[in-house]
Amino acid sequence: MTEKVRVRFAPSPTGHLHIGGARTALFNYLYARHNNGTFILRIEDTDRSRSTDAYIEAIIEGMKWLGLDCDEGPFRQTDRFDVYRNYVDRLVKEGRAYYCYCSSEELEERRKLALATGKMPKYDGRCRNLKEPVPGEIPAVRFKMPLEGQTLVDDLIRGTVVFENKQLDDLIILRSDGTPTYNFTVVVDDVDMKITHVIRGDDHLNNTPKQIHIYKALGYSIPKFAHLPMILGSDKTRLSKRHGATSVMAYYEMGYLPDALVNYLVRLGWSYGDQEVFSREELIKYFSFENVGKAAAVFNPEKLLWLNSQYIIHAPSEKLAELVMPFLVREKIVNEGQDLDKEWLCKAIDTLKERSKTLPELASSLRYYIAEEVEYDEKAKGKFLNEKSRDLLVALKEDLASISEFSHQELEKVFKAILERHSVKLKDLAQPVRVAMTGGTESPGIFEVLEIVGKEKALKRIEKAIRTIG
Ligand code: GLU
């Protein structure tokens, strides 16, 4: 029987959930779901000076928004210091780790000297064979790395990567202030949490041989590793704020759909033939490391925007109605708690889906459906609300007042009759009406707009346009 898959996302809460972290979380999540495994969230907050509760909340909020639900956790490393210390004691007792009394000043001096003389700045092993403790000094604990030979990392994405052991430092696993360090806690936790696959960014590849030796020293089997390719900006440097928003929740603010962002994130490294748009179910079904590339992925905000527009086009209007609500409130188009007729709102959204790339764009178009009055764009007003259109608008007002059903069909009839009577083209009437209805010159088809605006408001708006012309 094969072992049940257990994976973890292990962020350090020193910032918001960003694009890179979210991609790591997503690949873990998909691998777990694909294999009916367990997805664990572990907060690596041992660096107390940089970790905050607010960032922990922000990371959890980001994952929740993306729908990356974990099955266990969140665990916090700061709750587990006793566990780490027990493992440290065990390694010291077994001679796999040792007390180190070198002060940080001494270490810094030696490091500088090594650099100046062209040597590798690595701990020189001075305390490795100390027989007696130094009285009155609180030591750090270092792990004994092998001094020669090679360590092979078998990576599911990178293949076999070879490291020379003489490059590996006798790393500190417990600082003199009693706090354990990353490479050690990560191994202890991965062992305790029975992690089968370590899936993380490839900035951790160089840590992996060190961790492998710690597994071996503790006598535990080594999990499988999958190091995900880097994410670069358009200029091929590591993705950073210079390339645009990198925090996941910034994409919420900008009106992206979580599924669109998930779809975009998965393509940062993973592919499945030429397919670009995937449902969550498809992602879970198709995900495997075989289709994760080694090459760095380039973050392309335009493509993300395109994907978002695709998700808006294909989302059910009921869902968009829910998603757009906070933006309608934010843009002060509706008041908090204000009730809009659901069916009507969905119809309105139907007319705008194809024209909105983000939720704020959708909200801002909905403004002319929802608002009591529209404000004219000055240019549009100047161009279309003038003497020429006055008579047409007057005629339309009268004819519209007389129809009982404000349907596409009826509206079209009314328009046709006016066009014939006045010998003008559709656009001669439609554009002034569009300005009257929306304030601008771009909108869905004019009959659709009138239908959504409804008879009462439409007539008021035409009247106002006529008054504006004077
Ligand atoms: N806490 C590490 C980080 O945020 C991740 C460690 C790991 O996945 O092994 O980079």
Side-chain angles (χ1 to χ4, degrees), residues 8 10-12 44 182 186 200 204:
R8 83 312 192 266
S12 305
E44 304 209 319
Y182 161 69
V186 83
R200 60 187 171 197
H204 286 293

Side-chain angles (χ1 to χ4, degrees), residues 77-138:
Q77 289 193 320
T78 42
D79 291 336
R80 294 173 46 78
F81 276 12
D82 289 346
V83 178
Y84 307 128
R85 283 189 200 119
N86 281 337
Y87 277 97
V88 170
D89 289 347
R90 196 182 121 190
L91 288 178
V92 173
K93 260 188 215 120
E94 291 170 358
R96 312 299 299 250
Y98 59 91
Y99 294 117
C100 172
Y101 295 87
C102 301
S103 69
S104 44
E105 294 77 25
E106 287 168 331
L107 292 169
E108 184 52 25
E109 225 165 79
R110 281 180 238 157
R111 203 182 72 91
K112 278 193 194 140
L113 189 69
L115 285 174
T117 53
K119 288 196 197 117
M120 200 175 66
K122 171 182 151 165
Y123 181 63
D124 58 7
R126 200 164 294 214
C127 296
R128 218 177 205 241
N129 298 312
L130 275 189
K131 293 281 173 299
E132 297 296 325
V134 178
E137 297 284 335
I138 299 172

Side-chain angles (χ1 to χ4, degrees), residues 17 56 118 208 258 466:
L17 182 63
I56 296 179
T208 308
I466 296 169

